[in-house]
Amino acid sequence: MNTVFPTCQSKKQTVDDNNLQLLVHEYIDRWGNSYEMEDRWWGDKTLTWDQAIERAWISRLWHGKMHGHQCRVANKLSEGLEVALADEMQLEDFQDFPSLYDWVKSVVGRVKGLGATTAYDVARRLGARLELKPVVLYLHSGTAAGARKFGVEGEIAPLSAFPKEIQALGATHAENFLCIYKDQIPG
């Protein structure tokens, strides 16, 4: 799948800048370093590529608990892992995050019961191992709901489709922000 932005809408709703700035500051205070420990776990260079794939798909954090996004699909994750390993993709097969995401999305598409959130999460985890990060926003579930507050729809959106306060977060944190604050974003 080629990554394009044809369905992104640039019509932004008027959002109270002060309110948005307060929400972004609150997000940074609470979640600003949230990916550091996770990325060390998912990106552990002592793991072989197959071990990294397994860790990403099994979705258990360093403390042994299932990542909250995958709790509802936990019984399907081992099937996703089997499909992913059967593809025999290697580290060098991925030059950027979109190629990694497209592959993981293709795996998810072959496992009934898995969806876009799992595709993004697994791709982001493997991206930590490969040092590949998203540079656009992948709109799924709560993130898509938050994006709609700004008139942005589709599966993928450039950061430039959002106000400067959100752009300043970078793609990974902007995705998380839109999901967490979807009900608090004015609009």
Side-chain angles (χ1 to χ4, degrees), residues 73-154:
V73 296
N75 63 331
K76 296 293 186 174
L77 296 173
S78 59
E79 189 177 341
L81 172 61
E82 286 179 31
V83 172
L85 290 174
D87 281 352
E88 297 184 1
M89 300 295 282
Q90 300 301 312
L91 292 157
E92 55 276 358
D93 293 328
F94 306 105
Q95 302 305 311
D96 54 23
F97 188 84
S99 64
L100 175 62
Y101 176 78
D102 288 346
W103 170 63
V104 174
K105 188 175 176 186
S106 80
V107 172
V108 164
R110 291 177 270 163
V111 180
K112 185 178 168 107
L114 293 179
T117 299
T118 298
Y120 176 78
D121 287 350
V122 171
R124 211 195 70 69
R125 292 168 192 158
L126 291 172
R129 174 64 171 81
L130 296 166
E131 299 179 17
L132 300 174
K133 295 182 178 193
V135 294
V136 298
L137 275 72
Y138 293 82
L139 306 179
H140 53 271
S141 304
T143 302
R148 284 192 292 272
K149 299 279 182 101
F150 299 97
V152 178
E153 297 188 11

Side-chain angles (χ1 to χ4, degrees), residues 12-24 145-151 163 166 177-178 181-187:
K12 296 178 185 173
Q13 295 180 2
T14 304
V15 174
D16 182 322
D17 289 340
N18 290 332
N19 252 355
L20 183 59
Q21 189 63 44
L22 287 172
L23 292 176
V24 168
R148 284 192 292 272
K149 299 279 182 101
F150 299 97
I166 294 175
F177 172 84
L178 290 170
Y181 289 92
K182 66 185 173 292
D183 296 326
Q184 294 170 281
I185 295 170

